[in-house]
Every structure is written in structure tokens, then in C-alpha cells.
């Protein structure tokens, strides 16, 4: 089906559907004449995107950026770095950090978590 029929079925304007396409929120399927054709899969994908936007109260542009973060490692790293810098994310604990904390507790006279006084003797 053509864009006007697809938009009608989805409850949106053809302009909004074209906007979604420009954002990369539509599967890349075109007919031989460069006209976009919509089938059940394309309608379902658009409907799924609209559902995500409603559920998480986000715009189509925000959804498109989220997809970019998931698909481009450099973008994901830049967003992660910003999240750490502004305190929205915590740096993951590394094994070395855990061992350092355990050693500091031992030096301070504490017992590391998970370690008991030693083997228990039987009477």
C-alpha cells in the first residue's frame, strides 16, 4: 500500500510517516519506482515504535537516537561518558577495585565480606 493508506491505518499523517522515515524509524523498503510500499511488517514496525514512544513518554527523535546509541559503539561510549560525568551512571566495579577494597579492610583490621574466622573445629 502507498503512504497515504498506511498513514490512515496507523492513525497519523503521511507527513508524520515521512518524518519517521527521515529519522530511520521505518524498515528500508522501497518499490522499483522509488516509492515506499507498506506491507504488514512495515505497519507493525511503525506501530511498535509508536507504542514504545507512548510507553516511555519519548518523541520519535528520542527513539531514533536510542537506536543509534544501540547500534553505534562510539555514540554509546560518548553517552556513557556523559552519564558518568553528570552522575546519572555509576562506573562499573572492576575485579581489581574489589581486591583493593579487600586489602584495605584487612590492613584496617576488618574481615573481608564472605570470609569467616576460618575452619570450624569439630568437638
Amino acid at each position: 500500500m502507498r503512504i497515504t493508506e498506511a498513514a490512515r491505518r496507523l492513525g497519523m499523517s503521511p507527513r508524520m510517516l515521512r518524518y519517521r522515515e527521515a529519522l530511520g524509524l521505518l524498515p528500508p523498503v522501497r518499490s522499483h519506482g522509488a516509492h515506499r510500499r507498506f506491507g504488514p511488517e512495515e505497519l507493525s514496525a511503525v506501530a511498535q515504535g509508536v507504542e514504545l514512544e507512548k510507553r516511555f513518554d519519548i518523541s520519535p527523535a528520542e527513539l531514533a537516537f536510542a537506536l543509534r546509541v544501540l547500534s553505534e559503539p562510539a555514540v554509546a561510549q560518548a553517552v556513557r561518558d556523559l552519564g558518568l560525568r553528570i552522575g546519572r551512571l555509576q562506573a562499573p566495579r572492576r575485579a581489581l577495585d574489589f581486591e583493593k577494597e579487600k586489602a584495605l579492610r584487612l590492613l584496617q583490621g576488618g574481615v573481608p565480606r564472605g570470609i569467616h574466622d576460618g575452619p570450624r573445629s569439630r568437638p
Side-chain angles (χ1 to χ4, degrees):
M1 77 186 74
R2 307 269 323 244
I3 193 167
T4 52
E5 175 64 17
R8 187 185 63 72
R9 287 190 184 193
L10 291 164
M12 63 180 64
S13 69
R15 184 175 179 196
M16 177 54 81
L17 213 43
R18 285 187 190 96
Y19 173 64
R20 291 173 162 288
E21 180 179 25
L23 290 173
L25 294 175
L26 300 180
V29 178
R30 290 195 173 267
S31 67
H32 298 297
H35 291 285
R36 177 172 278 287
R37 291 288 182 180
F38 291 86
E41 286 296 315
E42 290 77 23
L43 293 177
S44 178
V46 173
Q48 182 179 4
V50 170
E51 173 57 33
L52 286 171
E53 293 160 15
K54 288 178 183 175
R55 185 184 327 159
F56 296 108
D57 192 28
I58 59 173
S59 70
E62 289 170 310
L63 180 58
F65 186 71
L67 289 170
R68 185 173 177 202
V69 168
L70 291 172
S71 65
E72 296 180 32
V75 176
Q77 185 61 51
V79 170
R80 189 175 301 110
D81 291 346
L82 175 62
L84 290 169
R85 183 173 218 174
I86 64 174
R88 294 274 309 262
L89 299 175
Q90 291 183 357
R93 287 184 52 164
R94 299 175 301 186
L96 187 58
D97 293 335
F98 175 77
E99 293 300 324
K100 180 180 172 184
E101 289 174 15
K102 187 168 74 172
L104 287 172
R105 279 194 302 272
L106 283 172
L107 288 172
Q108 294 169 353
V111 177
R113 285 181 235 152
I115 298 178
H116 302 287
D117 293 331
R120 295 182 187 203
S121 58
R122 294 183 185 233

